[in-house]
Structures are given as structure tokens and as C-alpha cells.
Amino acid sequence: AQKITQTQPGMFVQEKEAVTLDCTYDTSDPSYGLFWYKQPSSGEMIFLIYQGSYDQQNATEGRYSLNFQKARKSANLVISASQLGDSAMYFCAMNHNTDKLIFGTGTRLQVFP
Amino acid sequence: DTGVSQDPRHKITKRGQNVTFRCDPISEHNRLYWYRQTLGQGPEFLTYFQNEAQLEKSRLLSDRFSAERPKGSFSTLEIQRTEQGDSAMYLCASSSGPQRAPYTEAFFGQGTRLTVV
């Protein structure tokens, strides 16, 4: 069965520090995509970063990078230089040959001054 | 283009009543998705349209739920005879891409929060 696991219900980080949010996945399909979304209190899901299963390099988007370890089936999100506005829920998700996304339970990140 | 738009943002209804939500996707996006998110959980897939064709429905979508996308543009999600367990955030998303393209970024709306009392 396809599954996303996020084991950190909550994380705290000081402003300007880096933080890693963990994500592991389970699938038997060799072709898949991995995504991270941010959900602020307003409710909208904001796309952050994408990694394809065949991509050789780790994805990066500004302060976001995805630490993709295929053998371990992990896709951790690294946020560098945290900002107060980064405080939100973060969801890891996966899709296969259809576009429907399978989400994890999320990690609540709180950035403090 | 202002992104994916959902209406209403909040809905309170009495148990047993019918409710309908609307989603306007990003212009020219041919794919549209509905998800449901309960408190403390990630979104769960409900159904998916490619243009006006409903291609996939989750087992979560009971007979009381129906979704349409009549002209391949906006979509509606109707819940009949609402139950307290239907209380959740209903999220709509849209994406573009040829059929069978697996890696397409989905853009989400702000959701409709349903409370059944």
C-alpha cells in the first residue's frame, strides 16, 4: 500500500536557524513524485518543492531543499534560515501514475525569535 | 488569474440538510481534484476530473456525495443528508498537463470549512 509517514507532530526552531522535517514513504511503484506543501492557518495548501523518483539530484527551491534518499525511502524537507512566517503545518505527499496526492499527517513548525 | 477559488469559505448546516460547494480552478487547468481534511490529519483524496470526465472516486465518497464538472471548468461538490462526521475542510485543487502525466504541480484553493451541527 502507498503511504506517507511524518513522525514529528511538532517542531520548534529559532529564527535564522535551519530545520529538517522528516518524511518517509512506502510504495512498490518505481515511478512516483514526492511533494511538500505548507498550510498556514488560512487553510490554503501552498506548494513548496517536488522530487521525482528518477531525479538524480536533490530538489532545491530557494530556502527549501529536499533530502531524497531513495534506498531509505525518505524525502526530508530542509528549511534554511527560518523566518517567523515559516510557522505553519507542513505536509509531505506522494503521487503515482494519476495525479491524486497521498498526504502524511503533517508536522506543525513553530519558529520563535 | 487569481488562483483556485472556493465558495463558500465557511458553511454551518444542520444535520440532514444538503450542502453544495463550488470550486473555480485556474483558467485552462484541465484537472480538478477534491480532497477532505479533518482536524489533525492530512488531506484525503475524494475525486478527480479530467476536463468534464470524472475519472476516479475514492471509497470515502459515499452515495451521499456527488461531484460534477459540467463544462470542464468549475466544479460542484454536493453532500446530501449531512452527518456530523461530514464536518471537515473540503479542499479543491487544479493542475494542467497531458493525460497520464504523473508529476504535475497541483494548486489548492483555501477550502470550504463545513460544520454540521
Side-chain angles (χ1 to χ4, degrees), chain A residues 41-95:
Chain A
S41 56
S42 60
E44 183 179 0
M45 300 288 283
I46 301 168
F47 168 78
L48 296 178
I49 196 166
Y50 158 79
Q51 178 87 41
S53 59
Y54 295 119
D55 293 344
Q56 295 296 312
Q57 294 189 335
N58 287 345
T60 59
E61 289 285 349
R63 295 186 299 109
Y64 305 108
S65 60
L66 198 152
N67 184 1
F68 181 44
Q69 297 190 35
K70 196 169 183 177
R72 293 185 177 184
K73 292 190 175 179
S74 74
N76 298 340
L77 177 70
V78 180
I79 305 175
S80 62
S82 297
Q83 302 171 357
L84 295 177
D86 293 335
S87 295
M89 284 291 291
Y90 288 81
F91 290 95
C92 180
M94 172 172 63
N95 72 354

Side-chain angles (χ1 to χ4, degrees), chain B residues 3 8 12-13 15-16 26-28 53 63 68 77 79 90 92 97 116:
Chain B
I12 300 174
T13 190
R15 189 174 51 189
I26 292 173
S27 300
E28 299 176 359
D63 291 345
E68 294 183 342
L77 177 67
I79 309 174
Y90 291 84
C92 177
V116 182

Side-chain angles (χ1 to χ4, degrees), chain B residues 12-51:
Chain B
I12 300 174
T13 190
K14 291 183 179 180
R15 189 174 51 189
Q17 297 294 304
N18 299 344
V19 293
T20 300
F21 310 141
R22 176 180 171 122
C23 172
D24 287 273
I26 292 173
S27 300
E28 299 176 359
H29 274 188
N30 56 357
R31 299 177 176 185
L32 187 147
Y33 318 81
W34 285 99
Y35 291 84
R36 181 173 70 186
Q37 185 178 21
T38 53
L39 207 58
Q41 299 296 317
E44 296 173 293
F45 170 78
L46 291 178
T47 190
Y48 154 54
F49 291 85
Q50 171 97 8
N51 299 312

Side-chain angles (χ1 to χ4, degrees), chain B residues 41-113:
Chain B
Q41 299 296 317
E44 296 173 293
F45 170 78
L46 291 178
T47 190
Y48 154 54
F49 291 85
Q50 171 97 8
N51 299 312
E52 65 274 13
Q54 189 173 18
L55 296 186
E56 188 172 352
K57 291 195 295 185
S58 162
R59 288 172 296 175
L60 293 174
L61 215 64
S62 75
D63 291 345
R64 297 184 298 104
F65 288 71
S66 63
E68 294 183 342
R69 195 183 182 196
K71 297 183 179 179
S73 56
F74 73 91
S75 175
T76 57
L77 177 67
E78 181 183 16
I79 309 174
Q80 296 182 326
R81 304 181 304 281
T82 52
E83 302 172 356
Q84 287 188 321
D86 297 331
S87 296
M89 174 80 88
Y90 291 84
L91 292 164
C92 177
S94 70
S95 68
S96 61
Q99 196 170 10
R100 306 298 293 176
Y103 311 133
T104 309
E105 174 187 345
F107 294 85
F108 282 79
Q110 290 187 296
T112 295
R113 185 171 295 282

